[in-house]
Amino acid sequence: MPCKQFADSVGFYGDIEQEFTLDERKDLDAEGRAVITQHDVKVGQMKKSLIVINVYCPRAGSEKLEEQRETFKMKFNKLLELRANALTAAGFFVIVLGDLNKSHKRIDHCDPSETFEDNP
């Protein structure tokens, strides 16, 4: 059964206060990088909820504040993972999709550096 706590708030993160403070969560969400929708789906004779998290994940590139953005990116990704896991644990189906700003192989990157294999 889905967690009642989520039913009233799409901002549900589960129990992650040990990982991120409320202010940190607000800062990570402040750029509006995720659209989260809830859908009812029928699985056999049961109705379940499907959560779709559509994200535009931060990238860390050659920007002036690269180190700060790298930290922001890593925290954003961790929070996204925790949120998806909390929703799954609460009984929801979860799909995360969008622009993840990840490159699996050199060919997947628009402009890979010479050190791509060391830090894809």
Side-chain angles (χ1 to χ4, degrees), residues 44-69:
Q45 296 299 316
M46 285 180 23
K47 281 176 77 173
K48 288 199 73 168
S49 287
L50 165 69
I51 306 297
V52 177
I53 305 175
N54 190 342
V55 295
Y56 177 38
C57 290
R59 79 174 193 89
S62 58
E63 296 141 8
K64 197 175 190 179
L65 304 174
E66 184 176 339
E67 188 174 318
Q68 286 178 334
R69 289 308 285 177

Side-chain angles (χ1 to χ4, degrees), residues 20-98:
F20 293 97
T21 66
L22 178 59
D23 287 339
E24 286 176 311
R25 292 192 311 264
K26 285 180 180 180
D27 287 344
L28 291 167
D29 278 346
E31 293 183 7
R33 292 182 166 275
V35 175
I36 304 172
T37 56
Q38 181 176 353
H39 310 269
D40 290 329
V41 294
K42 193 171 181 183
V43 180
Q45 296 299 316
M46 285 180 23
K47 281 176 77 173
K48 288 199 73 168
S49 287
L50 165 69
I51 306 297
V52 177
I53 305 175
N54 190 342
V55 295
Y56 177 38
C57 290
R59 79 174 193 89
S62 58
E63 296 141 8
K64 197 175 190 179
L65 304 174
E66 184 176 339
E67 188 174 318
Q68 286 178 334
R69 289 308 285 177
E70 181 69 26
T71 299
F72 182 85
K73 176 182 180 173
M74 300 311 282
K75 285 183 176 182
F76 181 91
N77 290 341
K78 182 63 176 178
L79 186 60
L80 176 61
E81 177 186 7
L82 292 170
R83 178 179 265 180
N85 288 342
L87 291 166
T88 301
F92 297 96
F93 293 121
V94 178
I95 297 174
V96 177
L97 55 86

